[in-house]
Amino acid sequence: MTDALTKMLSERDWVMADGATGTNLFNMGLSSGDAPELWNADEPQNIKKLYSLAVDAGSDLFLTNTFGGNASRLKLHNAESRVRELNRLGAALGREVADASGRTVIVAGSVGPTGEIMAPMGSLTHELAVEMFHEQAEGLKEGGADVLWLETISAPEEYKAAAEAFALAGMPWCGTMSFDTAGRTMMGVTSASMVDMVEALPNPPIAFGANCGVGASDLMRTVLGFIASGTERPVIAKGNAGIPKYVDGHIHYDGTPELMGAYACLARDAGARIIGGCCGTMPEHLKAMRAALESTPKGPRPTLEDIAVKLGGFSSASDGTGDQSDAPARSRRNSRRRT
Ligand SMILES: [Zn+2]
């Protein structure tokens, strides 16, 4: 039996994913200290609204409101005993919205980091991480998610633990990392080393890629790194709407819908198959992305210069690959690019 996402990818050149979750929920009144996952039980209408905003704006796939739905994160809200319930509800609400849309829309069960540092650097053991991700995966599966969606991961150990948990749940999955530190993840993973890690997994994801990070330009540079590896696995691009700026006490993303439309086409031309936004990506950005993808003919693979001209400059001199040591802090020193 072929899963819904694999089927969609076999029929389409690109699949449009969704945008921000947090930014949209804050607009609906969520307080910054609250656990968004509690709204799956307490404010289900708002969660259905969140999903509908993405579907109505043209997303073919949206992520469930379960990013922080693991025991470690929910413990901060004394809700660690509700992992299964909150994930099941988050996915079930998604199922309702997707099935009522009148077209095929994929419900992707969001799984974020535990927030803990894994052994050997930290105290979270592999076994415990697998157990936490497994519990969450079972809830998402029960709620009817089509696919599990690991995102914003920095540590390879955590990515591998989640992969193992998803195998235990018997679910297909996708997984992205956040390259926010001069082209690398906080734990030093480069685009090239992520490809190696993904291909070595016993149960590799349907698609892999990058989400969040710094701005859309940096994310595009990481995508070019994935493609340069020669991978045949579908690549995911979920970039922020512009660059985060601290304005009047909160984080603001300055990317316009037009900029995100240009980003979506660049991502497609670079070779990404699943294209969406991350922080700051609102429904108006998604509409512009969908319209741009549908109206702009596919172009040649963009160069770094094309990206800088259309989306703005990069936050660091290099993408972190090349002949450097493992220390991310050193990557600024060396501007050699991977070709
Ligand atoms: Zn983000």
Side-chain angles (χ1 to χ4, degrees):
M1 201 182 74
T2 310
D3 66 88
L5 179 57
T6 299
K7 183 165 185 290
M8 187 178 274
L9 284 165
S10 73
E11 295 164 348
R12 303 260 306 270
D13 289 338
W14 48 265
V15 166
M16 202 175 100
D18 60 356
T21 297
T23 322
N24 275 299
L25 290 178
F26 296 138
N27 287 350
M28 293 180 193
L30 182 77
S31 303
S32 60
D34 292 347
E37 294 75 23
L38 294 174
W39 272 19
N40 295 341
D42 300 339
E43 303 283 349
Q45 291 312 316
N46 282 347
I47 300 309
K48 283 175 76 172
K49 174 88 190 297
L50 168 76
Y51 298 159
S52 299
L53 286 171
V55 172
D56 294 346
S59 298
D60 301 305
L61 174 157
F62 65 84
L63 307 194
T64 57
N65 176 43
T66 53
F67 178 79
N70 59 65
S72 165
R73 293 279 296 261
L74 288 177
K75 193 169 185 216
L76 306 173
H77 307 274
N78 297 314
E80 69 270 27
S81 63
R82 300 180 64 189
V83 169
R84 193 125 173 181
E85 172 209 358
L86 293 172
N87 282 280
R88 185 185 69 242
L89 292 173
L93 293 169
R95 193 72 268 153
E96 270 186 61
V97 170
D99 291 349
S101 69
R103 58 193 172 96
T104 303
V105 174
I106 309 281
V107 178
S110 172
V111 175
T114 60
E116 294 184 42
I117 300 186
M118 285 188 64
M121 284 179 73
S123 56
L124 178 63
T125 63
H126 174 78
E127 290 72 22
L128 194 54
V130 171
E131 196 179 312
M132 277 200 275
F133 285 129
H134 185 205
E135 183 184 22
Q136 184 175 14
E138 292 290 349
L140 292 165
K141 182 182 178 181
E142 270 175 8
D146 293 298
V147 60
L148 301 180
W149 192 281
L150 182 68
E151 55 175 342
T152 327
I153 299 297
S154 297
E157 293 80 12
E158 198 162 23
Y159 196 95
K160 290 176 197 168
E164 192 173 320
F166 299 162
L168 292 174
M171 286 289 286
W173 65 288
C174 294
T176 58
M177 297 183 98
S178 175
F179 297 80
D180 58 2
T181 310
R184 299 181 172 207
T185 75
M186 216 163 50
M187 294 301 183
V189 177
T190 64
S191 53
S193 55
M194 184 182 183
V195 173
D196 292 343
M197 173 187 69
V198 161
E199 294 307 332
L201 290 170
N203 63 320
I206 296 172
F208 75 98
N211 79 292
C212 212
V214 187
S217 303
D218 282 28
L219 185 123
M220 280 302 309
R221 186 170 61 181
T222 299
V223 166
L224 286 178
F226 295 141
I227 299 295
S229 74
T231 182
E232 290 182 11
R233 194 172 299 284
V235 167
I236 300 161
K238 272 188 126 239
N240 293 332
I243 294 192
K245 294 201 173 82
Y246 201 68
V247 184
D248 296 334
H250 68 273
I251 302 289
H252 173 77
Y253 288 85
D254 61 359
T256 61
E258 292 69 33
L259 178 128
M260 289 306 277
Y263 146 81
C265 293
L266 286 169
R268 175 198 58 190
D269 296 347
R273 301 282 316 282
I274 302 178
I275 300 162
C278 200
C279 300
T281 309
M282 306 304 285
E284 58 266 33
H285 295 97
L286 294 174
K287 281 179 198 157
M289 290 162 65
R290 179 98 204 184
L293 284 168
E294 286 182 344
S295 64
T296 316
K298 193 169 191 313
R301 182 171 302 164
T303 63
L304 291 175
E305 288 67 28
D306 297 334
I307 291 165
V309 166
K310 288 188 175 161
L311 305 181
F314 302 98
S315 75
S316 59
S318 96
D319 72 349
T321 57
D323 59 348
Q324 301 164 69
S325 80
D326 285 327
R330 291 186 58 193
S331 57
R332 272 179 181 276
R333 238 183 39 174
N334 188 332
S335 66
R336 201 174 114 168
R337 281 173 185 156
R338 194 159 176 274
T339 49

